[in-house]
Amino acid sequence: MTAADAVPIVFVHGTRFSAGQWSMQLAALREEFQVVAIDLPGHGKRSTQPWSLSAATEIIASAVDSLDRGPALVVGHSLGGYASLEFARRCPERLRGMVLAGASASTRGFWATPYRWVARLVPRLPADRLARWNDRFLRRLYPQEVVEATIRSGYAFHTLPAAWAEVLGRFDADAMRHVKVPVLILNGERDPVFRAGEADFARAHPHARVELIPRARHLANFDDPDAFTDAVRRFARQLPAVG
């Protein structure tokens, strides 16, 4: 299979990050697939754009169209996973498959409480202090080649309160009924919070399955880039051809 006839893939990053989160996946997959990673509103090169799920879905749709290969596989991590679920609801004709990574927990009720607390706390802390903490955190845990693009792109702490304010209370397993294509729920084995509802999410969709990255945490594509990329590659190859 070559990039000319393979399913196109759009990657959607998680909270506070940017398209740089996917540098390892883009490098590993681009010979076989048409691939692109986006910046969500308020993040990366779109840092001045106000956040909204509506704007996020428009950006994902534009990325799919830019690849000019028809419906795409959308890979969304955390915040990007929930934005991908909204994209599935609004733009089903542009979707051929979905990978939900670290985004199979309900954002309603009890589970939302810690994230509401974080969303209130972040604006009270200096952004430069948060950036230094994140740089140290990433460099301590991961090789430079895995995180350098993320660090270079900076962080979108200013967008976090608005983004999670819209996501919290909005998504649970019922959101899967809007997804009309095969779904891979791809979680880190050691990510108990964001994989808390994975069984419910899988049961809510007739063509969803769960795959775990052994020993990986929430940032599974950083913890084991090769395993994460291989899971996406295998799933992409298995997607049915466009009828």
Side-chain angles (χ1 to χ4, degrees):
M1 183 181 295
T2 66
D5 55 18
V7 59
I9 307 176
V10 176
F11 288 89
V12 190
H13 63 80
T15 301
R16 79 187 182 278
F17 290 156
S18 67
Q21 177 181 349
W22 302 110
S23 61
M24 298 293 288
Q25 282 67 49
L26 297 181
L29 294 170
R30 63 168 50 104
E31 288 189 9
E32 181 175 350
F33 303 92
Q34 292 282 339
V35 293
V36 66
I38 66 163
D39 288 327
L40 288 169
H43 298 74
K45 294 179 180 178
R46 292 189 171 93
S47 62
T48 61
Q49 181 177 345
W51 166 268
S52 74
L53 275 172
S54 178
T57 59
E58 291 174 4
I59 291 167
I60 298 171
S62 293
V64 173
D65 292 346
S66 74
L67 294 175
D68 197 25
R69 290 286 186 267
L73 167 60
V74 175
V75 181
H77 174 259
S78 196
L79 175 65
Y82 296 112
S84 299
L85 285 170
E86 184 70 5
F87 174 74
R89 185 178 73 85
R90 296 185 184 217
C91 304
E93 74 285 351
R94 287 184 168 100
L95 197 60
R96 189 163 155 193
M98 179 181 293
V99 176
L100 284 180
S104 52
S106 173
T107 68
R108 300 178 186 270
F110 169 79
W111 291 105
T113 302
Y115 301 98
R116 294 190 192 281
W117 181 81
V118 170
R120 288 195 298 267
L121 175 64
V122 164
R124 302 178 186 178
L125 300 173
D128 59 343
R129 182 185 302 176
L130 290 169
R132 288 195 299 272
W133 182 86
N134 269 261
D135 287 351
R136 288 197 297 269
F137 169 78
L138 293 175
R139 287 178 171 133
R140 184 173 67 248
L141 290 181
Y142 305 111
Q144 179 179 351
E145 65 270 17
V146 172
V147 297
E148 62 181 344
T150 295
I151 292 172
R152 187 169 58 247
S153 298
Y155 310 102
F157 296 110
H158 65 289
T159 301
L160 189 152
W164 280 100
E166 191 174 12
V167 168
L168 291 175
R170 191 181 188 107
F171 295 97
D172 59 16
D174 188 57
M176 295 289 280
R177 67 186 175 88
H178 297 294
V179 185
K180 309 302 182 185
V181 295
V183 179
L184 173 63
I185 298 172
L186 183 61
N187 288 324
E189 179 187 23
R190 297 178 179 175
D191 184 19
V193 173
F194 281 93
R195 57 172 292 211
E198 65 185 22
D200 294 332
F201 275 63
R203 280 194 296 266
H205 192 286
H207 303 291
R209 64 178 178 86
V210 176
E211 183 170 339
L212 299 180
I213 306 294
R215 298 175 298 281
R217 294 151 295 191
H218 186 53
L219 295 172
N221 74 302
F222 287 173
D223 284 314
D224 195 335
D226 291 341
F228 190 99
T229 301
D230 186 57
V232 172
R233 181 187 292 111
R234 285 186 280 104
F235 182 67
R237 287 174 176 172
Q238 294 164 5
L239 289 174
V242 176

